[in-house]
């Protein structure tokens, strides 16, 4: 007597990745459409997983190139362009054998996926650090120098000292560690991608909190960037303590 489709489905659900080929062979002769659809679905999922693992392997190229370093740290920042809020930097050291599926440049991910990956990164990382530079600091020393400051703080916050930094595009002044600047590094290195995600989620959450304290500017939606509604509110309500004075001169009078 043939197994029911329900019981076969349960077999597939409980099977480990390497056991799927055995199930394909076991049920390939079952002519029931429900069984064949089940096999087709799992084969498609398997193909997608292989493709994702291949993509991740490509994103480990710099980690492999510098694998003699014990603790490789990815560094990235978010929030250079907004009119309000801090610039935030993330620093992440991942274990050498770490696999975090679908990790990518934070800008290529949905907010929901970033939140999911944020938790997984914090759970699996050897160490993480967050650094911030306030709007006042940005106004005082300029956005580039403030970004460097946030990055230095993020590195200092790591509970495990890194032996190499992989940076998104920049070389950070004032750090004696070896550094490798990588153009578009958040799409080319799993370590930098992880850093971009924790920085982005941290900053987005912070701007959502600011929205509760400083309503009317839409900070929860625009994250401080210069949307039309944000600029209109700025002209109408004036600047808040978290606006960057050097960034809003075109929108408000002295």
């Amino acid at each position: 007597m043939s197994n029911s489709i329900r019981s076969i489905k349960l077999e597939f659900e409980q099977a480990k990745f390497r056991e799927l080929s055995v199930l394909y062979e076991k049920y390939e002769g079952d002519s029931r459409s429900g069984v064949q659809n089940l096999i087709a679905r799992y084969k498609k999922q398997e193909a997608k997983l292989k493709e994702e693992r291949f993509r991740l392997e490509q994103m480990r190229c710099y980690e492999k190139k510098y694998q003699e370093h014990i603790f490789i740290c990815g560094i990235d920042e978010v929030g250079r362009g907004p009119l309000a809020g801090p610039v935030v930097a993330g620093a992440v050291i991942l274990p050498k054998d770490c696999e975090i599926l679908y990790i990518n440049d934070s800008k290529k991910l949905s907010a929901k996926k970033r939140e999911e990956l944020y938790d997984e990164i914090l759970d699996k990382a050897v160490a993480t650090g967050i650094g911030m530079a306030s709007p006042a600091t940005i106004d005082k020393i300029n956005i580039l120098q403030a970004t460097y400051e946030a990055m230095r703080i993020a590195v200092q916050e790591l509970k495990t000292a890194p032996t190499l930094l992989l940076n998104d595009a920049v070389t950070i002044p004032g750090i004696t560690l070896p550094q490798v600047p990588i153009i578009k590094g958040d799409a080319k290195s799993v370590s930098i991608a992880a850093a971009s995600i924790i920085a982005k989620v941290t900053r987005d959450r912070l701007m959502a909190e600011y929205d509760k304290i400083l309503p009317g500017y839409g900070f929860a939606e625009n994250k401080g960037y210069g949307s039309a509604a944000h600029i209109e509110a700025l002209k109408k309500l004036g600047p808040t303590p978290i606006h960057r004075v050097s960034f809003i001169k075109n929108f408000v009078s002295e």
Side-chain angles (χ1 to χ4, degrees):
M1 185 177 175
S2 299
N3 291 349
S4 69
I5 294 175
R6 185 175 180 179
S7 68
I8 295 171
K9 184 180 179 183
L10 190 61
E11 276 190 80
F12 273 90
E13 288 173 353
Q14 294 177 343
K16 292 186 172 72
F17 181 73
R18 64 179 177 273
E19 297 169 342
L20 289 173
S21 58
V22 176
L23 293 179
Y24 298 151
E25 187 176 345
K26 180 178 178 181
Y27 293 110
E28 66 181 353
D30 193 317
S31 61
R32 288 175 292 177
S33 61
V35 175
Q36 291 307 310
N37 289 340
L38 189 65
I39 290 171
R41 185 166 80 246
Y42 271 86
K43 281 187 175 180
K44 187 176 181 180
Q45 288 176 5
E46 194 176 11
K48 279 188 173 181
L49 186 57
K50 284 180 180 178
E51 187 179 315
E52 171 60 14
R53 284 181 165 147
F54 176 78
R55 187 190 67 83
L56 284 176
E57 201 59 27
Q58 302 300 107
M59 282 188 74
R60 290 193 188 97
C61 62
Y62 287 97
E63 284 78 3
K64 286 182 174 179
K65 182 176 180 180
Y66 299 101
Q67 62 185 335
E68 72 275 10
H69 288 271
I70 300 170
F71 296 118
I72 296 173
C73 176
I75 307 281
D76 200 9
E77 53 69 34
V78 295
R80 282 203 201 194
L83 305 180
V87 61
V88 178
V92 176
I93 302 173
L94 295 174
K96 289 186 182 293
D97 60 349
C98 181
E99 179 182 81
I100 301 176
L101 295 173
Y102 308 107
I103 196 168
N104 208 336
D105 170 8
S106 63
K107 296 184 290 297
K108 296 180 179 179
L109 301 167
S110 67
K112 181 182 177 183
K113 179 54 72 174
R114 285 195 297 266
E115 289 282 348
E116 291 171 1
L117 289 169
Y118 175 90
D119 291 336
E120 189 172 355
I121 290 163
L122 263 59
D123 182 54
K124 292 183 175 179
V126 173
T128 62
I130 288 289
M132 298 189 194
S134 69
T137 299
I138 293 167
D139 288 332
K140 184 177 180 181
I141 63 176
N142 79 44
I143 186 60
L144 180 59
Q145 295 306 318
T147 299
Y148 291 149
E149 180 63 15
M151 288 177 167
R152 285 190 288 266
I153 294 168
V155 173
Q156 291 164 9
E157 288 295 309
L158 293 165
K159 288 189 168 64
T160 298
T163 53
L164 175 76
L165 304 183
L166 300 180
N167 307 337
D168 187 31
V170 300
T171 299
I172 309 164
I175 286 184
T176 56
L177 289 165
Q179 302 182 57
V180 181
I182 304 167
I183 303 298
K184 295 185 178 176
D186 45 10
K188 297 177 181 176
S189 157
V190 289
S191 302
I192 299 176
S196 79
I197 290 166
I198 69 162
K200 174 69 173 163
V201 171
T202 298
R203 190 178 189 281
D204 284 358
R205 289 178 178 179
L206 182 62
M207 294 309 294
E209 289 303 309
Y210 277 135
D211 190 52
K212 297 173 187 175
I213 302 165
L214 302 164
Y217 299 86
F219 290 142
E221 291 77 35
N222 60 48
K223 308 300 187 287
Y225 284 87
S227 67
H230 182 185
I231 292 169
E232 188 60 34
L234 191 55
K235 290 176 179 178
K236 183 180 177 181
L237 304 172
T240 70
I242 69 162
H243 276 99
R244 304 171 183 180
V245 175
S246 54
F247 279 46
I248 61 173
K249 290 177 180 177
N250 293 336
F251 310 118
V252 295
S253 55
E254 294 290 338

